[in-house]
Amino acid sequence: MKKDRGKILKPLYNVLNEAGEITKFALRFFKLIFNRPFEYNEFARQCYYIGNKSLPLVAVTALIMGLVITIQSRPTLVEFGAEAWLPKMVSVSLVREIVPVITALICAGKIGSGIGAELGSMKVTEQIDAMEVSGTNPFKYLVVTRVLATTLMIPVLTVLADGISLYGAYLGTNLRGVVSWNLFWSQVFDVLVYADIIPSLLKTFFFGFAIGIVGCYKGYNSQKGTEGVGLSANSSVVISSLLVFIIDLIAVQITDLLGLT
Amino acid sequence: MTAVKNSVITIKNLYKSFGTNNVLKNFNFDLNEGESVAVLGKSGSGKSVLIKCIIGLIKFEKGEIFVLNKDISTLNIEELDKIRAQVGFLFQSNALYDSMTVKENLLFPLRRHKRHLSETEINLLVSEALDNVKLPETANMMPSELSGGMKKRIALARTLILKPKIILYDEPTTGLDPITSREISNLMVEIQDKYKTSSVLISHDINCVKIVADRIVMLIEGTNYAEGTYLSLKESKDQRVLSFFN
Ligand SMILES: Nc1ncnc2c1ncn2[C@@H]1O[C@H](COP(=O)(O)OP(=O)(O)OP(=O)(O)O)[C@@H](O)[C@H]1O
Ligand SMILES: [Mg+2]
């Protein structure tokens, strides 16, 4: 009986412990964020790197999502004789939910694992120690810049992806039936109000922050050896993807409570 | 002052453990100005832990470490950085920054410890450091394009660029072939003569120790088990000391 309880409690304890450690790590980030001098070059390099590395994948996925969602929604709307509503309905679900979450998940996979592996290998090859003896706070140089970069760039990528996915929706609408370019966009902007755009954009800052913090935490605390690095990369993807869904759930509740839906 | 020798590193009664793993137990050590001392110990005996304590990368629980007459454990980060600017550290795994070119690697400590230098002074220092390690043509290469021995040299150049008073070498010849090992050892002696640095050499490579060190300290079971010159220790009757000499 006792043994069983141990089996259940141990993983629970581990999860809570990890959550506590990540929170501590995040607090350290907030403590150092206003510490001068700010590492502009590294921050800019990271922003460029994130954008450059994920934009192609994000763009293709967004275009496909726009197309697919449109094609799949059409039959249902046709059944209700509401085909004219297609652009409106599709654009709301794309901008509010699908594009932000998909973009975040792609970035969790590409950026999160990249950061986890990069910092992990810097840790095991003593590059982080070397920075420290070179009179540089490695947390500030590596973690603060990367977390700020993901927090800024994932919303930027999401906005771009929103645009691309709506273009996909436009193409999808025109596969059967004709809706002119102007009519399509006037319908989209008819239905999309600030209440759709602002909350869905706000949550992407949190997605970006979570991806950055988890990747950095996992890399920074990587275990010795090459398996340690692989493990860091892997678990940063798992944890940050999970966090994206949790944050999304919380964001929905909040917008609901505030009556923004 | 009556003291003839000027000590640049003094370690008294150092204790360091990780959980139940007592790595250092009452370790004592002295490095005099201009001297080169080797700390010899098996793998896992705590050599890396020891020199990371010296530079403040690892906090220890008991004992005292003085570097250039400053008590390391009492310094705040600015004071510690001032000491670190005068102490070079050659890492066991080189620790070259993968994402930067050789030149940027050399510039990293320079830009941070010496902010007042002009662009021409900086370029001069970089080419001097690369000449010192006999790799003048590598400035624009990435670390991944270098061989193991070259990486070690570049890491040494990065350590030298600040003209440190003390250099800490963490196993500079491990993982290199015997010929390259000897080249690196000779390079270390050359640098020692040229810049009059004091140095601590951590190793289990007795050939490198023989070439570089004036004096040897044996780290066994966490403490300074035996001390002496290469020749005096070679004559030792103690099996544990002798085991390093095959
Ligand atoms: N950060 C750490 N956390 C826990 N234990 C550690 C840590 N660093 C070192 N140790 C332990 O301290 C002991 C000494 O390690 P150290 O790296 O100093 O060995 P070493 O003498 O340098 O060996 P090598 O010649 O293989 O480099 C080992 O048992 C190691 O497991
Ligand atoms: Mg070591």
Side-chain angles (χ1 to χ4, degrees):
Chain A
M1 207 29 211
K2 265 220 168 117
K3 249 191 181 164
D4 286 350
R5 205 185 296 165
K7 257 188 214 154
I8 299 167
L9 287 182
K10 188 88 209 297
L12 186 68
Y13 169 80
N14 286 345
V15 168
L16 290 177
N17 193 35
E18 183 106 333
E21 289 298 319
I22 294 178
T23 312
K24 257 196 260 169
F25 194 80
L27 288 178
R28 203 166 150 204
F29 164 84
F30 284 113
K31 243 193 243 158
L32 279 175
I33 186 173
F34 295 115
N35 194 310
R36 297 296 108 187
F38 183 69
E39 306 280 354
Y40 284 104
N41 288 340
E42 181 66 8
F43 171 69
R45 199 173 76 87
Q46 288 304 321
C47 287
Y48 173 76
Y49 181 72
I50 292 171
N52 193 31
K53 200 172 168 190
S54 17
L55 186 58
L57 196 59
V58 165
V60 171
T61 318
L63 186 74
I64 293 175
M65 276 297 140
L67 262 168
V68 168
I69 300 286
T70 312
I71 294 168
Q72 295 213 334
S73 305
R74 183 193 300 274
T76 321
L77 288 181
V78 169
E79 217 169 288
F80 290 107
E83 201 183 343
W85 277 75
L86 192 55
K88 293 189 179 185
M89 207 200 93
V90 166
S91 58
V92 168
S93 51
L94 282 174
V95 169
R96 261 201 198 166
E97 189 55 39
I98 295 167
V99 171
V101 171
I102 295 275
T103 306
L105 288 178
I106 290 173
C107 291
K110 229 170 148 66
I111 311 297
S113 68
I115 292 176
E118 187 194 11
L119 296 199
S121 74
M122 289 187 79
K123 166 93 181 182
V124 303
T125 57
E126 302 176 299
Q127 291 174 51
I128 292 184
D129 283 343
M131 259 178 201
E132 197 163 346
V133 299
S134 299
T136 303
N137 181 336
F139 196 97
K140 204 172 102 186
Y141 187 85
L142 298 170
V143 177
V144 171
T145 52
R146 278 165 180 72
V147 175
L148 285 178
T150 53
T151 311
L152 179 76
M153 288 310 284
I154 283 163
V156 170
L157 284 168
T158 307
V159 170
L160 293 172
D162 277 339
I164 295 167
S165 77
L166 289 175
Y167 182 69
Y170 167 76
L171 295 181
T173 332
N174 277 293
L175 282 181
R176 295 189 194 173
V178 183
V179 177
S180 78
W181 177 257
N182 286 339
L183 180 61
F184 176 83
W185 289 107
S186 81
Q187 286 207 351
V188 168
F189 286 114
D190 220 21
V191 63
L192 280 184
V193 287
Y194 286 119
D196 294 308
I197 299 170
I198 302 288
S200 76
L201 203 57
L202 271 182
K203 73 183 173 191
T204 61
F205 284 95
F206 290 92
F207 291 164
F209 178 76
I211 291 167
I213 277 285
V214 171
C216 287
Y217 168 80
K218 281 291 169 188
Y220 215 75
N221 293 294
S222 193
Q223 298 298 312
K224 282 255 172 207
T226 30
E227 318 96 278
V229 177
L231 211 64
S232 304
N234 196 312
S235 53
S236 33
V237 177
V238 175
I239 297 179
S240 51
S241 309
L242 190 64
L243 278 179
V244 165
F245 287 116
I246 294 175
I247 292 168
D248 195 41
L249 188 66
I250 296 171
V252 164
Q253 301 294 333
I254 292 175
T255 38
D256 203 32
L257 279 178
L258 294 179
L260 290 174
T261 39
Chain B
M1 289 291 270
T2 47
V4 258
K5 285 176 182 168
N6 201 356
S7 163
V8 286
I9 297 179
T10 308
I11 301 179
K12 286 183 191 152
N13 314 101
L14 184 68
Y15 285 81
K16 172 70 199 173
S17 50
F18 294 100
T20 55
N21 180 4
N22 299 313
V23 179
L24 297 173
K25 292 170 274 186
N26 194 14
F27 185 85
N28 293 278
F29 180 83
D30 255 303
L31 177 71
N32 298 315
E33 198 168 353
E35 196 185 21
S36 180
V37 176
V39 177
L40 215 53
K42 298 192 295 197
S43 188
S45 56
K47 302 182 300 293
S48 296
V49 170
L50 172 67
I51 45 171
K52 284 185 182 170
C53 285
I54 294 176
I55 194 83
L57 280 172
I58 294 183
K59 302 262 172 289
F60 47 93
E61 47 251 34
K62 232 168 85 186
E64 285 175 318
I65 298 183
F66 289 90
V67 179
L68 300 168
N69 298 317
K70 293 268 165 40
D71 184 347
I72 286 294
S73 56
T74 62
L75 300 181
N76 65 28
I77 189 70
E78 281 85 23
E79 295 165 325
L80 194 57
D81 277 341
K82 280 202 191 106
I83 295 289
R84 283 170 171 171
Q86 304 175 66
V87 181
F89 196 127
L90 185 67
F91 286 88
Q92 187 167 353
S93 43
N94 301 326
L96 294 176
Y97 306 121
D98 298 321
S99 58
M100 303 180 195
T101 63
V102 166
K103 183 172 178 186
E104 286 164 347
N105 262 283
L106 299 188
L107 290 180
F108 195 90
L110 209 54
R111 288 246 158 85
R112 277 141 208 283
H113 278 312
K114 306 208 163 151
R115 293 179 187 276
H116 55 274
L117 293 177
S118 73
E119 208 54 34
T120 23
E121 284 173 303
I122 282 179
N123 284 327
L124 266 175
L125 283 171
V126 169
S127 46
E128 183 189 339
L130 289 176
D131 284 342
N132 275 328
V133 298
K134 306 182 175 64
L135 288 174
E137 311 278 277
T138 51
N140 295 317
M141 289 169 87
M142 296 304 283
S144 55
E145 299 172 275
L146 306 171
S147 72
M150 288 163 91
K151 279 188 189 135
K152 194 58 87 184
R153 284 163 188 265
I154 297 300
L156 187 55
R158 188 177 68 182
T159 309
L160 284 176
I161 201 161
L162 292 171
K163 308 266 166 66
K165 292 203 172 89
I166 306 172
I167 305 183
L168 309 174
Y169 297 97
D170 191 355
E171 308 206 18
T173 58
T174 303
L176 301 176
D177 63 83
I179 298 168
T180 315
S181 291
R182 197 154 55 238
E183 280 171 16
I184 296 283
S185 306
N186 289 328
L187 190 59
M188 286 161 64
V189 174
E190 235 170 76
I191 282 160
Q192 189 88 357
D193 289 344
K194 186 166 174 189
Y195 294 108
K196 306 278 175 267
T197 53
S198 321
S199 62
V200 179
L201 161 66
I202 301 284
S203 190
H204 49 223
D205 174 3
I206 193 71
N207 294 316
C208 169
V209 168
K210 185 183 173 189
I211 297 172
V212 178
D214 306 318
R215 188 156 61 87
I216 300 173
V217 174
M218 298 252 169
L219 170 60
I220 298 176
E221 285 184 351
T223 190
N224 43 319
Y225 185 82
E227 295 190 40
T229 60
Y230 177 83
L231 291 173
S232 73
L233 286 174
K234 205 177 171 184
E235 301 303 315
S236 166
K237 300 274 178 298
D238 192 327
Q239 222 24 65
R240 297 172 99 172
V241 172
L242 280 180
S243 66
F244 285 97
F245 286 84
N246 319 324

Short mmCIF file of all heavy atoms in Angstrom, two decimals, chain A residues 128-149:
data_model
loop_
_atom_site.label_atom_id
_atom_site.label_comp_id
_atom_site.label_asym_id
_atom_site.label_seq_id
_atom_site.Cartn_x
_atom_site.Cartn_y
_atom_site.Cartn_z
N ILE A 128 29.95 28.02 -20.76
CA ILE A 128 29.26 28.91 -19.82
C ILE A 128 30.21 29.35 -18.72
O ILE A 128 30.25 30.53 -18.34
CB ILE A 128 27.98 28.22 -19.29
CG1 ILE A 128 26.98 28.09 -20.45
CG2 ILE A 128 27.37 29.00 -18.14
CD1 ILE A 128 25.63 27.51 -20.08
N ASP A 129 31.04 28.42 -18.24
CA ASP A 129 32.07 28.78 -17.26
C ASP A 129 33.05 29.79 -17.84
O ASP A 129 33.46 30.73 -17.18
CB ASP A 129 32.87 27.53 -16.83
CG ASP A 129 32.10 26.66 -15.85
OD1 ASP A 129 31.13 27.18 -15.25
OD2 ASP A 129 32.47 25.49 -15.67
N ALA A 130 33.42 29.55 -19.12
CA ALA A 130 34.39 30.44 -19.76
C ALA A 130 33.84 31.86 -19.83
O ALA A 130 34.56 32.84 -19.63
CB ALA A 130 34.73 29.94 -21.15
N MET A 131 32.55 31.99 -20.11
CA MET A 131 31.94 33.31 -20.14
C MET A 131 32.03 33.98 -18.78
O MET A 131 32.34 35.16 -18.67
CB MET A 131 30.46 33.18 -20.49
CG MET A 131 30.23 33.49 -21.90
SD MET A 131 28.55 33.29 -22.37
CE MET A 131 28.88 33.14 -24.12
N GLU A 132 31.76 33.20 -17.76
CA GLU A 132 31.78 33.76 -16.42
C GLU A 132 33.16 34.29 -16.05
O GLU A 132 33.28 35.38 -15.50
CB GLU A 132 31.31 32.71 -15.40
CG GLU A 132 30.92 33.37 -14.11
CD GLU A 132 30.07 32.49 -13.23
OE1 GLU A 132 29.55 31.48 -13.71
OE2 GLU A 132 29.97 32.84 -12.05
N VAL A 133 34.22 33.53 -16.38
CA VAL A 133 35.54 34.04 -16.04
C VAL A 133 35.97 35.17 -16.97
O VAL A 133 36.93 35.87 -16.69
CB VAL A 133 36.65 32.94 -16.01
CG1 VAL A 133 36.34 31.90 -14.97
CG2 VAL A 133 36.86 32.32 -17.35
N SER A 134 35.27 35.37 -18.08
CA SER A 134 35.57 36.50 -18.96
C SER A 134 34.81 37.75 -18.54
O SER A 134 34.65 38.66 -19.33
CB SER A 134 35.21 36.18 -20.40
OG SER A 134 35.96 35.09 -20.85
N GLY A 135 34.34 37.77 -17.32
CA GLY A 135 33.68 38.97 -16.83
C GLY A 135 32.30 39.20 -17.42
O GLY A 135 31.85 40.33 -17.55
N THR A 136 31.63 38.14 -17.80
CA THR A 136 30.28 38.25 -18.37
C THR A 136 29.35 37.38 -17.55
O THR A 136 29.69 36.24 -17.26
CB THR A 136 30.27 37.75 -19.82
OG1 THR A 136 31.22 38.50 -20.55
CG2 THR A 136 28.91 37.90 -20.45
N ASN A 137 28.20 37.93 -17.21
CA ASN A 137 27.22 37.10 -16.53
C ASN A 137 26.55 36.23 -17.59
O ASN A 137 25.82 36.73 -18.44
CB ASN A 137 26.20 38.01 -15.85
CG ASN A 137 25.16 37.23 -15.10
OD1 ASN A 137 24.90 36.07 -15.40
ND2 ASN A 137 24.55 37.86 -14.12
N PRO A 138 26.81 34.92 -17.58
CA PRO A 138 26.29 34.08 -18.68
C PRO A 138 24.77 34.03 -18.68
O PRO A 138 24.16 33.91 -19.75
CB PRO A 138 26.88 32.70 -18.41
CG PRO A 138 27.38 32.72 -17.02
CD PRO A 138 27.61 34.13 -16.63
N PHE A 139 24.16 34.16 -17.51
CA PHE A 139 22.69 34.15 -17.47
C PHE A 139 22.15 35.35 -18.24
O PHE A 139 21.22 35.24 -19.04
CB PHE A 139 22.21 34.19 -16.02
CG PHE A 139 20.77 33.81 -15.86
CD1 PHE A 139 20.42 32.52 -15.51
CD2 PHE A 139 19.76 34.74 -16.07
CE1 PHE A 139 19.09 32.17 -15.38
CE2 PHE A 139 18.43 34.39 -15.94
CZ PHE A 139 18.10 33.09 -15.58
N LYS A 140 22.77 36.49 -18.03
CA LYS A 140 22.33 37.70 -18.71
C LYS A 140 22.62 37.63 -20.21
O LYS A 140 21.79 37.98 -21.03
CB LYS A 140 23.07 38.90 -18.10
CG LYS A 140 22.35 40.20 -18.26
CD LYS A 140 23.06 41.26 -17.47
CE LYS A 140 23.89 42.09 -18.39
NZ LYS A 140 24.72 43.07 -17.65
N TYR A 141 23.81 37.14 -20.54
CA TYR A 141 24.21 37.10 -21.94
C TYR A 141 23.40 36.08 -22.73
O TYR A 141 22.95 36.34 -23.83
CB TYR A 141 25.70 36.76 -22.04
CG TYR A 141 26.26 36.86 -23.43
CD1 TYR A 141 26.70 38.07 -23.93
CD2 TYR A 141 26.32 35.75 -24.25
CE1 TYR A 141 27.21 38.18 -25.21
CE2 TYR A 141 26.83 35.84 -25.54
CZ TYR A 141 27.28 37.06 -26.00
OH TYR A 141 27.76 37.15 -27.28
N LEU A 142 23.20 34.90 -22.14
CA LEU A 142 22.56 33.82 -22.89
C LEU A 142 21.06 33.74 -22.66
O LEU A 142 20.28 33.65 -23.60
CB LEU A 142 23.20 32.48 -22.51
CG LEU A 142 24.68 32.32 -22.82
CD1 LEU A 142 25.23 31.06 -22.16
CD2 LEU A 142 24.90 32.28 -24.32
N VAL A 143 20.65 33.77 -21.40
CA VAL A 143 19.25 33.50 -21.09
C VAL A 143 18.38 34.73 -21.31
O VAL A 143 17.37 34.66 -22.02
CB VAL A 143 19.10 32.99 -19.63
CG1 VAL A 143 17.64 32.80 -19.28
CG2 VAL A 143 19.89 31.70 -19.45
N VAL A 144 18.78 35.88 -20.75
CA VAL A 144 17.93 37.06 -20.88
C VAL A 144 17.70 37.41 -22.35
O VAL A 144 16.57 37.66 -22.78
CB VAL A 144 18.55 38.26 -20.11
CG1 VAL A 144 17.80 39.54 -20.41
CG2 VAL A 144 18.53 37.97 -18.61
N THR A 145 18.77 37.36 -23.15
CA THR A 145 18.62 37.71 -24.56
C THR A 145 17.71 36.73 -25.30
O THR A 145 16.86 37.14 -26.08
CB THR A 145 19.98 37.72 -25.27
OG1 THR A 145 20.63 36.48 -25.00
CG2 THR A 145 20.86 38.85 -24.77
N ARG A 146 17.89 35.45 -25.03
CA ARG A 146 17.09 34.45 -25.75
C ARG A 146 15.62 34.50 -25.35
O ARG A 146 14.73 34.39 -26.20
CB ARG A 146 17.66 33.05 -25.52
CG ARG A 146 18.82 32.75 -26.43
CD ARG A 146 19.61 31.55 -26.00
NE ARG A 146 20.72 31.30 -26.91
CZ ARG A 146 21.81 32.04 -26.98
NH1 ARG A 146 21.94 33.11 -26.21
NH2 ARG A 146 22.78 31.75 -27.83
N VAL A 147 15.35 34.66 -24.05
CA VAL A 147 13.96 34.69 -23.62
C VAL A 147 13.27 35.94 -24.16
O VAL A 147 12.14 35.88 -24.65
CB VAL A 147 13.87 34.62 -22.08
CG1 VAL A 147 12.43 34.79 -21.62
CG2 VAL A 147 14.43 33.30 -21.57
N LEU A 148 13.97 37.08 -24.12
CA LEU A 148 13.37 38.29 -24.69
C LEU A 148 13.13 38.11 -26.19
O LEU A 148 12.11 38.55 -26.71
CB LEU A 148 14.27 39.50 -24.45
CG LEU A 148 14.26 40.05 -23.03
CD1 LEU A 148 15.23 41.21 -22.89
CD2 LEU A 148 12.86 40.49 -22.62
N ALA A 149 14.07 37.46 -26.86
CA ALA A 149 13.92 37.27 -28.31
C ALA A 149 12.72 36.39 -28.64
O ALA A 149 11.94 36.72 -29.54
CB ALA A 149 15.20 36.68 -28.90
#
